[in-house]
């Protein structure tokens, strides 16, 4: 049977990439086939190399504009026969052209219960807003900012102390579970978008689970 | 020791009022002292009467405008020495003058995890948006629409079927727990607003619990 090939885009430490490498890479026919970053010094790249996954850097400065840079990424991923693109701490907005080429095949993990707190610093903004419950969302990427159809969400109680580092730790722990879980379910064919309402994602049981 | 006197404003069936009557009225020195409605035929009024609680109806048609109607409600509640006003399915926006007179002493229960889905039909809008997690919020009322400082929140998973009546039932069950719990904690002096940031509500342990 053919492999389910994932690409991961990351800009930073790559802890979500590490969770994918540890939890789904090489299992259930899932393979992390490519890791791309916009930052040549992103620690995520080193994590990929240690796992034997090929990497490429797409610096903005090397391309005339964002559309051209994203086209270069898309060309590489298409050439590698990638089935799914997972954003794991990728700090750039993808061009509409990229989203269109991989329509319904790009997912992102966001550290809030969308539609609350889309965009930058959702953890800090949730704390400033005084919420008692926040969480993590895995969603398909569309042309908007964290606005695509929701695949999985998990709630997290804000600690009584409202300590940011404590909340961050808990959110990251949940991200590291939820993003691999979403990948596993998509690879298993257990995730589909409603034909009548493209906002609604149907998530069945993981046939490989 | 003196009683902690609550007023409840309700427009409809009054199931949240019933939860307050069943769970906190007459306990821990808490007394539901008055129930007001904008609807003369609200079943909530009959629930109050059955519990021996005085009621009054404030129909919009009997007053020149909303400010005058709300002033009549406020005069009644002030005369009754009310410590806290709980909105329980009250389908009118309170005037800024009312909010100002009872600043920090009005609470509302909202069937969503604010700041997601403020305003009308939050359950339907959450389902249409395709969220996987929603919930219930109890918050202080300010001049905005469901925008005041959050006291308590509880998350609820949307059922796999996305069946509206099933979700509503679960949300109402949680509302009936969370609103009385907030009242108990406020009456016990366990709820305070942060002096530096009025968005932040500190909720301690119920001393009477």
């Amino acid at each position: 049977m053919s492999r389910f090939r994932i690409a991961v885009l990351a800009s930073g430490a790559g802890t979500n990439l590490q969770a994918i490498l540890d939890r789904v890479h090489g299992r259930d026919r899932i393979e992390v086939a490519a890791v791309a970053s916009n930052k040549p010094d992103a620690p995520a790249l080193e994590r990929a190399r240690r796992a034997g996954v090929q990497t490429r850097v797409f610096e903005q400065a090397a391309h005339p504009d964002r559309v051209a840079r994203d086209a270069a990424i898309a060309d590489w991923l298409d050439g590698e026969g990638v089935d799914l693109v997972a954003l794991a701490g990728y700090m750039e907005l993808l061009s509409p052209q990229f989203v269109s080429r991989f329509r319904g095949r790009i997912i992102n993990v966001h550290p809030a219960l969308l539609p609350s707190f889309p965009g930058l610093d959702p953890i800090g903004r949730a704390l400033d807003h005084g919420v008692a419950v926040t969480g993590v969302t895995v969603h398909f990427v569309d042309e908007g900012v964290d606005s695509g159809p929701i695949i999985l969400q998990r709630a997290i109680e804000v600690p009584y102390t409202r300590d940011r580092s404590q909340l961050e730790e808990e959110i990251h722990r949940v991200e590291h579970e939820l993003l691999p879980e979403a990948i596993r379910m998509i690879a298993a064919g257990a995730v589909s978008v409603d034909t009548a309402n493209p906002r609604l994602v149907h998530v069945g049981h993981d046939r490989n689970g």
Side-chain angles (χ1 to χ4, degrees), chain A:
Chain A
M1 291 172 78
S2 70
R3 297 276 183 136
F4 187 84
R5 290 168 69 80
I6 311 168
V8 179
L9 307 192
S11 301
T15 60
N16 274 311
L17 167 63
Q18 192 64 55
I20 293 167
L21 291 169
D22 292 343
R23 296 179 184 214
V24 298
H25 180 52
R27 301 185 192 187
D28 301 336
R29 301 181 297 109
I30 299 168
E31 180 184 6
V32 179
V35 170
S37 180
N38 58 322
K39 304 274 191 191
D41 56 351
L45 295 167
E46 182 52 31
R47 293 180 192 268
R49 285 183 213 111
R50 275 204 304 270
V53 175
Q54 60 178 333
T55 65
R56 281 202 194 170
V57 175
F58 297 84
E59 282 188 277
Q60 188 51 77
H63 301 273
D65 56 25
R66 184 170 64 116
V67 171
R69 191 259 309 266
D70 285 3
I73 301 174
D75 287 344
W76 184 45
L77 302 186
D78 260 347
E80 292 296 326
V82 159
D83 298 295
L84 182 72
V85 179
L87 309 188
Y90 187 64
M91 300 305 288
E92 302 268 319
L93 193 63
L94 291 166
S95 69
Q97 292 84 349
F98 186 100
V99 173
S100 175
R101 270 177 77 171
F102 289 89
R103 171 82 55 202
R105 295 190 293 140
I106 314 169
I107 65 173
N108 181 43
V109 61
H110 186 77
L113 284 179
L114 293 169
S116 285
F117 311 113
L120 295 175
D121 191 22
I123 298 176
R125 285 159 54 223
L127 285 170
D128 290 347
H129 193 85
V131 299
V133 171
T134 183
V136 170
T137 302
V138 178
H139 62 93
F140 285 116
V141 172
D142 66 10
E143 285 78 359
V145 175
D146 302 319
S147 56
I150 290 166
I151 304 167
L152 295 175
Q153 292 186 301
R154 195 171 299 163
I156 296 168
E157 281 186 33
V158 173
Y160 174 74
T161 55
R162 293 199 169 94
D163 181 74
R164 179 171 174 137
S165 62
Q166 189 184 342
L167 178 59
E168 277 177 340
E169 193 177 308
E170 177 66 5
I171 283 180
H172 292 148
R173 195 184 62 71
V174 172
E175 285 184 321
H176 299 164
E177 291 178 11
L178 220 55
L179 183 57
E181 187 178 331
I183 291 169
R184 238 185 340 253
M185 296 184 96
I186 291 168
V191 174
S192 61
V193 173
D194 193 283
T195 47
N197 179 353
R199 292 275 342 148
L200 302 186
V201 178
H202 299 293
V203 178
H205 296 287
D206 182 344
R207 294 198 296 258
N208 293 337

